[in-house]
Amino acid sequence: MNVAGRILVADGAPKTRIKMKARLSSACYDVTAAGSGVEALRMAALVQPQLVLIGTSLPDMTGAQLCAQFRTQLDGAEIPVLVQVQGPQRIAALQAGASALIDGMDDDLTLFARIRGLMRGDGQSDRGGIGTHPDFGMAEPVAEFRHDTRPRAVFVAGQPAIALGWQFSLRDRLDFSISISDPDRALSQAARGHVPDLYLIAGDIQQPGDGLHLLSELRSRPMSRDAGFVVALRPDRADLTAMALDLGAGDVLTSDLTQPTAAIEAAIRIEGQLGRKLACDRKREETRRNMRWAMTDPLTGLHNRRHALPRLAELFANSLRHGGGLAVMLLDLDRFKLVNDLHGHAAGDAVLQAVAHRMTASLPPDALIARMGGEEFLVALPDCDAQTAHLLAEDVRRAIAAPAIPLPPESGTGALSITISAGIAAFDRGPASANDLDSALLLARADRALLSAKSSGRNRIVVAPAALAA
């Protein structure tokens, strides 16, 4: 059986625990149950749940107290916590770090929608409480310059007076800028990259349920999909809660925020959504950074071998599919070992960085340029024949040879002239069949041409014969 995720249920009533375990297990969740707060903390350390569901009737602590314990122990700040709570204890649970609240556990539709929504953000949640205002990031870079660095929210309701009422109720409870919009303007602004940190959208704007359509549209668009989303529903429209959560809303509030208690709770929950959004932004950026590091040579900033070889195979496949040419160069610095031996590794690093810069400046923007290791570089040129590749290689050779490359002061030498040798192999799909040729073979033929350039005196370019390269 495929398991959807690990859930820890904490509830003081044995019947409730058994019932919840059966219901969640039927949905393919891996469920562990605990009858007290102490037992829940102990079990969490053992099973490492992806979500904690806290019910009522715990014998040793309240739901809010257990939530606070999770946030301070066992690295629990990373675990989404869903708390069943009503009345005055709602705000206490939110202040303790609850990710979301639920009134009861009898409504499977809403309960499972809440769980799915929290599991989508597993490991990315961040707590937001009263008075905590981290430097929230934008969903996407915004084109215009803004002096106000606070988090931004856009409120969308059927009548401006409703959205203004939300703004009035929340403005003194949240330190972020709020603007009022309508659906068309919100979509137009998002298409231009003017995306807030969070949208608060009425479930019914002009027509029943059209706020959920706006939510779906914004969530599906690349510029706005990473914003935070909160939906406000009238009490008589609570049946839309599950649908809103499954469409991507992070939370669902009551639309009546004029009562102080409702406004306080809404402020904490909105801040929590902003915190989760920021955590997701950071995780995405970390992923992008790790991908860049995995594909990039840290010294030169060029692609590395791990990225270059699969990309070369893709370029070769595109050439076969669309009939364009492909040229491959292998370039090697002449007598580079002497640079390190005579002038030190700092000088060698400076030479490699300068060579990478001069190569990039001399080659077309669509060229694949990579450091393959040591002093060897790869260049792949889409839609390029052998003659054009030879001319480009000569441009690179001259650019690297002059002027001399400045060296660090500790090297003891002001500047050093460097030369390169290069081998070229080109594939131009024509009468000759390419059934026996692939990117690895093309690269091997460029390597043989490079060896020929080295053995014939260095500082020169050798093109593999057409009979070998085709």
Side-chain angles (χ1 to χ4, degrees):
M1 179 180 68
N2 292 325
V3 177
R6 298 183 304 277
I7 297 179
L8 172 62
V9 176
D11 195 284
K15 289 183 179 179
T16 301
R17 294 198 303 273
I18 294 171
K19 183 179 178 181
M20 284 304 306
K21 185 168 184 177
R23 289 161 64 191
L24 292 169
S25 297
S26 68
C28 298
Y29 291 104
D30 182 6
V31 184
T32 302
S36 68
V38 171
E39 185 184 6
L41 292 168
R42 181 178 61 82
M43 295 303 297
L46 294 174
V47 303
Q48 296 293 306
Q50 293 168 278
L51 182 141
V52 176
L53 175 57
I54 301 177
T56 58
S57 307
L58 291 172
D60 51 352
M61 61 184 76
T62 66
Q65 290 170 335
L66 178 55
C67 186
Q69 290 287 322
F70 274 113
R71 295 310 186 199
T72 57
Q73 299 180 30
L74 311 171
D75 295 324
E78 297 299 321
I79 304 174
V81 179
L82 177 59
V83 182
Q84 179 189 0
V85 64
Q86 293 180 339
Q89 289 299 312
R90 295 173 66 87
I91 292 177
L94 290 168
Q95 290 174 326
S99 304
L101 307 179
I102 192 166
D103 293 328
M105 297 191 187
D106 294 330
D107 180 1
D108 275 0
L109 197 63
T110 301
L111 173 64
F112 281 90
R114 282 285 186 191
I115 290 172
R116 286 191 296 270
L118 291 171
M119 295 290 268
R120 281 197 300 268
D122 176 36
Q124 300 172 356
S125 61
D126 195 7
R127 289 187 295 145
I130 290 177
T132 60
H133 301 286
D135 297 326
F136 296 104
M138 299 303 295
E140 295 290 339
V142 177
E144 81 276 11
F145 179 80
R146 295 202 326 272
H147 292 281
D148 192 343
T149 59
R150 295 178 300 167
R152 289 183 59 233
V154 168
F155 289 178
V156 184
Q159 300 176 13
I162 295 176
L164 287 170
W166 294 346
Q167 183 182 36
F168 180 80
S169 297
L170 296 171
R171 64 183 182 183
D172 293 332
R173 307 182 192 280
L174 290 170
D175 183 21
F176 68 132
S177 63
I178 301 170
S179 60
I180 310 300
S181 184
D182 57 62
D184 289 341
R185 186 182 177 200
L187 289 170
S188 175
Q189 292 284 321
R192 295 198 298 270
H194 301 171
V195 179
D197 296 280
L198 181 138
Y199 292 93
L200 175 59
I201 302 172
D204 302 324
I205 302 176
Q206 300 297 336
Q207 302 293 330
D210 58 354
L212 302 190
H213 177 71
L214 175 62
L215 164 67
S216 180
E217 284 290 330
L218 289 168
R219 284 280 292 166
S220 67
R221 301 189 178 192
M223 298 296 285
S224 54
R225 65 188 175 198
D226 294 329
F229 292 91
V230 176
V231 170
L233 296 175
R234 300 196 315 266
D236 62 329
R237 300 288 280 162
D239 58 303
L240 296 179
T241 298
M243 184 181 298
L245 293 169
D246 279 337
L247 286 173
D251 206 349
V252 177
L253 307 177
T254 177
S255 61
D256 184 7
L257 303 180
T258 58
Q259 298 299 319
T261 302
I264 292 172
E265 179 178 326
I268 300 173
R269 291 167 70 172
I270 288 172
E271 233 178 20
Q273 291 305 308
L274 286 167
R276 292 184 68 199
K277 186 263 179 194
L278 173 62
C280 289
D281 284 351
R282 288 174 174 165
K283 192 173 185 69
R284 277 190 297 273
E285 179 54 35
E286 181 182 357
T287 300
R288 294 189 192 105
R289 184 170 61 249
N290 290 339
M291 289 179 66
R292 287 194 298 269
W293 288 347
M295 297 186 301
T296 304
D297 171 54
L299 177 63
T300 63
L302 300 177
H303 291 303
N304 61 17
R305 185 185 189 92
R306 178 183 297 176
H307 171 79
L309 294 181
R311 180 59 183 149
L312 178 61
E314 291 176 7
L315 292 174
F316 185 84
N318 289 339
S319 178
L320 286 177
R321 188 161 47 248
H322 302 298
L326 177 66
V328 174
M329 301 181 198
L330 279 177
L331 306 94
D332 192 88
L333 276 61
D334 295 327
R335 298 184 173 90
F336 180 73
K337 185 176 184 300
L338 291 176
V339 177
N340 286 326
D341 291 346
L342 298 177
H343 306 287
H345 288 283
D349 289 349
V351 167
L352 290 169
Q353 290 170 333
V355 166
H357 176 75
R358 294 181 186 188
M359 286 177 60
T360 302
S362 302
L363 291 165
D366 63 345
L368 168 66
I369 310 173
R371 182 185 176 197
M372 299 297 281
E375 65 271 26
E376 186 175 73
F377 297 85
L378 165 71
V379 176
L381 299 162
D383 297 317
C384 184
D385 57 24
Q387 183 179 5
T388 304
H390 193 186
L391 293 174
L392 289 170
E394 286 291 351
D395 289 342
V396 172
R397 188 184 64 81
R398 288 191 293 267
I400 291 173
I405 295 174
L407 300 182
E410 60 268 25
S411 67
T413 302
L416 192 65
S417 294
I418 295 294
T419 62
I420 63 162
S421 300
I424 297 172
F427 163 64
D428 186 7
R429 189 174 186 179
S433 172
N435 291 337
D436 61 342
L437 185 64
D438 58 21
S439 60
L441 186 55
L442 191 67
L443 189 62
R445 291 171 177 174
D447 189 50
R448 287 204 293 270
L450 171 61
L451 291 175
S452 178
K454 288 283 192 181
S455 62
S456 59
R458 297 184 175 85
N459 192 23
R460 63 191 60 209
I461 313 297
V462 171
V463 181
L468 293 179

